[in-house]
């Protein structure tokens, strides 16, 4: 998101006033009303700009939130379950947003599917207590995280399918003749070298360390298994 787009988004989200957490009785009820108002305004802003990307609801006392978030990549919609609990120390403490389906599949994620927001978001949140709420956590936390991290995950997913098809094609080529198989292998090697370099760069830009990107690249080749006929 550009700085101008971010500014417009922040202007569309009302800031909160009540400094209260789940154990603060009536003050928490007041805080919840502010949270809902802020979320509604943010969703309305997204829909008006054709950028709606999540749905949330909560339990009766507002301590558990759950719903869906989605990301559009190359005109395809990828949807994930999202959930989080409101910490006792809220709003000083940030909710730990979780996408369980992506547990262990992206670099910046803790065990259980908790996304890593500390590097870029925690200082911003700390400076804006109690003004920031759930809508801000979605807009400034999960939204940017999805835009960056999901690219690496989807790249690995697509390449796993791609490598499986390569294995099938090699198996079919060798079933015709050894010469056909060797020609197909040569063509695939010429194709794969620049392809893998590009994928490696994508993973690095998605937050993977160099060693993590190498391991991810190697793991996807488990699907690359030629099938030879007898």
């Amino acid at each position: 998101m550009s700085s101008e787009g971010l500014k417009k988004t922040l202007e569309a989200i009302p800031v909160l006033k009540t400094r209260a957490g789940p154990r603060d009785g009536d003050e928490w009820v007041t805080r919840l009303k502010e949270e809902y108002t802020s979320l509604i305004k943010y969703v309305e802003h997204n829909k008006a700009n054709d950028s709606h990307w999540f749905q949330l609801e909560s339990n009766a006392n507002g301590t558990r939130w759950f719903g869906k978030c989605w990301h559009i990549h190359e005109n395809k919609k990828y949807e994930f379950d999202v959930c989080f609990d409101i910490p006792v120390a809220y709003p000083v403490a940030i909710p730990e947003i979780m996408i369980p389906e992506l547990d262990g599949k992206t670099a910046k994620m803790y065990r259980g599917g908790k996304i890593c927001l500390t590097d870029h978001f925690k200082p911003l949140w700390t400076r804006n207590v109690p003004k920031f709420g759930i809508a801000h956590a979605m807009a400034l936390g999960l939204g940017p995280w999805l835009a960056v991290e999901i690219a690496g995950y989807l790249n690995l997913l697509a390449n796993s399918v791609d490598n499986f098809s390569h294995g099938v094609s090699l198996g079919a080529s060798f079933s015709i003749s050894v010469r056909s198989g060797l020609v197909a292998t040569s063509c695939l090697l010429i194709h794969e070298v620049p392809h893998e370099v590009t994928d490696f760069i994508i993973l690095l830009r998605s937050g993977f360390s160099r060693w993590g990107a190498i391991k991810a690249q190697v793991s996807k080749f488990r699907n690359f298994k030629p099938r030879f006929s007898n």
Side-chain angles (χ1 to χ4, degrees), residues 60-94:
N61 56 12
T63 57
R64 174 76 173 172
W65 293 76
F66 47 90
K68 300 281 186 180
C69 65
W70 51 88
H71 180 73
I72 306 298
H73 180 72
E74 295 183 354
N75 296 320
K76 291 184 179 181
K77 181 180 179 181
Y78 297 87
E79 187 173 281
F80 308 96
D81 291 329
V82 59
C83 59
F84 55 89
D85 294 320
I86 299 297
V88 174
Y90 187 81
V92 175
I94 308 172

Side-chain angles (χ1 to χ4, degrees), residues 137-158:
M138 299 298 285
L140 303 176
L142 181 58
W145 185 93
L146 272 178
V148 174
E149 296 298 316
I150 207 66
Y153 165 70
L154 294 178
N155 180 69
L156 287 175
L157 180 63

Side-chain angles (χ1 to χ4, degrees), residues 75-127:
N75 296 320
K76 291 184 179 181
K77 181 180 179 181
Y78 297 87
E79 187 173 281
F80 308 96
D81 291 329
V82 59
C83 59
F84 55 89
D85 294 320
I86 299 297
V88 174
Y90 187 81
V92 175
I94 308 172
E96 293 185 316
I97 302 174
M98 295 182 288
I99 305 180
E101 186 178 347
L102 297 183
D103 184 16
K105 296 178 181 177
T106 73
K108 293 183 178 179
M109 177 168 280
Y110 301 123
R111 182 173 296 179
K114 297 177 181 178
I115 68 173
C116 177
L117 296 177
T118 54
D119 290 344
H120 65 283
F121 185 60
K122 188 175 181 179
L124 184 62
W125 179 280
T126 301
R127 291 196 301 269

Side-chain angles (χ1 to χ4, degrees), residues 18-21 24-34:
T18 306
R19 188 184 183 113
D24 292 324
D26 291 341
E27 288 187 346
W28 173 239
V29 175
T30 302
R31 172 79 185 194
L32 267 182
K33 291 178 181 179
E34 294 176 2

